[in-house]
Amino acid sequence: MAAKLKKGDKVVVLAGKDKGKQGEITQVMPKENKAIVDGINIAIRHTRQSQTAQGGRLPKAMPIDLSNLALLDSNGKATRVGFRFEDGKKVRFAKTTGEAI
């Protein structure tokens, strides 16, 4: 099945503590049905100091479920994603505006 959300997409969070926040997808994990969005779902990770890296409390973006994300259309609103064929190629399109992504 084709992915509705891909790396680099601008998304908005629909549910959870970061509801309403916007960000860009940096990594998608299709087997776990999750994605990592920069600046969203931040957790503090305590790391030990090593020879190369300073230790301490480091913020880290944690995975968020794909069902809690929606793509942003050209108007800046959340939209669902559909698929259609244009010139023999399968393309994604925004359901709200109908334009290809």
Side-chain angles (χ1 to χ4, degrees):
M1 189 174 130
K4 295 190 178 206
L5 296 175
K6 296 183 178 184
K7 180 179 177 179
D9 285 347
K10 302 274 188 213
V11 292
V12 62
V13 180
L14 300 176
K17 66 177 183 177
D18 294 323
K19 181 177 180 177
K21 290 187 181 177
Q22 300 176 2
E24 185 175 321
I25 294 180
T26 55
Q27 182 183 355
V28 179
M29 298 169 277
K31 287 188 178 173
E32 292 94 41
N33 204 35
K34 293 180 182 283
I36 294 178
V37 183
D38 59 338
I40 305 293
N41 200 19
I42 299 294
I44 300 295
R45 288 285 166 245
H46 297 74
T47 57
R48 187 180 295 269
Q49 183 175 355
S50 66
Q51 287 184 336
T52 58
Q54 179 71 30
R57 302 174 68 222
L58 303 176
K60 180 181 179 187
M62 301 302 289
I64 186 168
D65 204 85
L66 289 176
S67 63
N68 294 331
L69 299 175
L71 189 72
L72 285 174
D73 62 4
S74 58
N75 300 333
K77 292 189 174 182
T79 182
R80 292 178 295 147
V81 178
F83 292 96
R84 66 178 172 217
F85 286 94
E86 289 181 1
D87 302 326
K89 286 192 168 187
K90 189 175 186 180
V91 295
R92 299 182 300 158
F93 73 97
K95 294 263 187 163
T96 54
T97 59
E99 61 187 36
I101 298 168

